[in-house]
Amino acid sequence: MLINNYLSKLDIKKKLIENLNSITVSQAEQEAQIMISYSSKSENNLDNNNSEIDQELIYKILNERVKGKPLAKIINEKGFWKKIFYTDDYTLDPRADSEILVEQLLIDCEKNKNQKYLKLLDLCCGTGCLGISIIDELDNAFCDFIDVSKEVLNACKKNIINFNQQHRTKIFHSNLFENYPINRLKNIDFIVCNPPYIPTKNYLNLNKETLYDPRISLDGGKLGMDYYVKIINYLISVKFKGDVYFEIDPIISKNMYKFLLEKGVKIVYKKTDYLNLDRLIKIKFPKH
Ligand SMILES: C[S@@+](CC[C@H](N)C(=O)[O-])C[C@H]1O[C@@H](n2cnc3c(N)ncnc32)[C@H](O)[C@@H]1O
């Protein structure tokens, strides 16, 4: 299908794109380039000679990819914001949609850049892509990471070590806030959270590729609201003073706004993503 010693790197790329298009991969060109980079361990450029491409490896990757396995799950890495994160069978592969949380939080933090320390909590952290990307841009920021899965936290730890952020981070194995010290929460300035939010009946109809991500990272209960409700109720009960940035989705946004109104929680702003879909909500809790 692909292997031929006389193929140039450009020819290999064309062949990859042809094969990827045959299984209707939406970003065939981008994926082909990632496969080449990964198999030649070079940056995304085409000026190295062919001998640097591990053709056996690229063939193996393509073979798995055409069977429908997502590329990130094959090569165990996914680009997010400005870095390449380790990901595996236990983690949700970081999504470009979630980058808006990093972008907005950084815009808001511009106003706090003279503050001595910024304390961040990445709740439902997965690979840690949100918290790590944010503190990587802010010299005065520290981040705690919470996830319920030990395997997920191993992946998060790997990323923290890869990006040399051990000194500004702490990991908590916890079912939401269950094992997270209340005194620590009281000092948090920002929570960033992308919880599981797919309504169960939609989860069961997700496309085959999305189902490679673990159910625990996607299924948000009957209406997709289970995590938001638990998190918001808890933060109200402890009179949390910081700001919360939630990733949301059009499937749950109406229910979310209704719930926040009932609870008297202030929506600071909402943002849509590049497809003009509801994607981010920033909230603040009433002062008592
Ligand atoms: C949608 S993923 C988000 C991962 C990452 N923050 C991102 O944006 O790519 C949701 C994460 O929530 C975690 N999770 C599920 N239930 C949880 C719970 N009860 N407490 C803490 N984390 C939980 C999952 O393991 C998963 O890593």
Side-chain angles (χ1 to χ4, degrees):
M1 177 168 30
L2 175 74
I3 307 296
N4 176 336
N5 285 341
Y6 303 107
L7 287 178
S8 71
K9 198 173 251 188
L10 215 54
D11 287 334
I12 291 176
K13 188 172 177 184
K14 275 188 203 149
K15 288 269 173 207
L16 287 171
I17 294 173
E18 259 170 42
N19 279 284
L20 292 170
N21 278 333
S22 74
I23 56 156
T24 58
V25 167
S26 61
Q27 291 174 317
E29 183 159 358
Q30 198 187 344
E31 286 205 7
Q33 188 56 59
I34 294 170
M35 287 182 190
I36 289 175
S37 292
Y38 184 83
S39 309
S40 56
K41 281 292 160 215
S42 71
E43 293 305 314
N44 284 3
N45 59 42
L46 292 173
D47 58 2
N48 295 310
N49 60 44
N50 301 333
S51 59
E52 287 178 49
I53 296 184
D54 183 339
Q55 292 216 22
E56 218 172 287
L57 178 61
I58 212 166
Y59 181 71
K60 245 172 93 182
I61 295 170
L62 181 63
N63 232 352
E64 283 198 76
R65 185 67 188 100
V66 293
K67 286 183 198 147
K69 191 168 182 178
L71 182 56
K73 287 278 185 276
I74 303 169
I75 63 174
N76 291 121
E77 54 182 51
K78 180 87 191 276
F80 181 85
W81 195 245
K82 298 180 182 171
K83 296 200 174 299
I84 294 175
F85 285 83
Y86 170 80
T87 183
D88 60 28
D89 289 345
Y90 299 104
T91 57
L92 180 100
D93 296 334
R95 307 284 205 268
D97 297 339
S98 310
E99 291 181 350
I100 191 169
L101 273 84
V102 177
E103 191 179 342
Q104 280 305 320
L105 204 136
L106 289 175
I107 291 171
D108 292 351
C109 280
E110 261 298 291
K111 299 169 205 146
N112 303 55
K113 67 177 176 208
N114 296 326
Q115 194 171 321
K116 198 167 176 201
Y117 302 119
L118 286 176
K119 298 216 171 95
L120 189 75
L121 169 62
D122 184 348
L123 178 60
C124 299
C125 64
T127 54
C129 59
L130 297 173
I132 294 173
S133 301
I134 293 165
I135 61 168
D136 194 51
E137 304 255 357
L138 300 168
D139 292 339
N140 59 344
F142 293 76
C143 188
D144 287 347
F145 295 85
I146 292 180
D147 205 284
V148 75
S149 153
K150 275 193 178 152
E151 290 84 2
V152 160
L153 289 175
N154 285 339
C156 179
K157 191 171 174 187
K158 209 167 183 154
N159 284 317
I160 287 173
I161 293 169
N162 285 348
F163 303 127
N164 208 11
Q165 292 292 5
Q166 302 90 310
H167 55 296
R168 294 204 276 152
T169 53
K170 201 165 164 62
I171 283 176
F172 293 85
H173 179 222
S174 178
N175 174 5
L176 299 179
F177 296 103
E178 229 169 74
N179 299 330
Y180 188 64
I182 184 74
N183 287 342
R184 248 183 126 83
L185 181 61
K186 291 208 159 133
N187 290 319
I188 292 290
D189 300 297
F190 305 106
I191 296 178
V192 64
C193 181
N194 176 16
Y197 57 63
I198 310 279
T200 302
K201 68 175 184 328
N202 299 45
Y203 171 82
L204 299 171
N205 294 319
L206 284 174
N207 66 50
K208 195 177 148 218
E209 282 198 22
T210 310
L211 290 173
Y212 276 89
D213 284 320
R215 182 167 187 164
I216 197 177
S217 67
L218 295 166
D219 188 345
K222 193 170 176 207
L223 298 174
M225 286 290 294
D226 286 9
Y227 288 83
Y228 298 105
V229 168
K230 283 186 197 156
I231 294 167
I232 290 167
N233 280 338
Y234 181 76
L235 292 174
I236 291 175
S237 75
V238 299
K239 302 182 173 52
F240 180 67
K241 292 198 190 78
D243 297 323
V244 183
Y245 295 72
F246 273 125
E247 175 163 330
I248 57 165
D249 186 277
I251 18 174
I252 55 106
S253 53
K254 251 198 195 143
N255 283 329
M256 180 78 169
Y257 303 146
K258 191 167 156 257
F259 177 69
L260 292 172
L261 194 70
E262 279 165 17
K263 291 281 167 179
V265 177
K266 184 182 168 199
I267 298 177
V268 182
Y269 58 67
K270 308 169 195 168
K271 296 278 170 192
T272 52
D273 63 17
Y274 55 94
L275 293 173
N276 212 22
L277 302 172
D278 289 344
R279 188 57 63 202
L280 160 67
I281 185 164
K282 177 178 174 182
I283 60 174
K284 216 170 173 46
F285 296 94
K287 288 194 180 106
H288 295 278

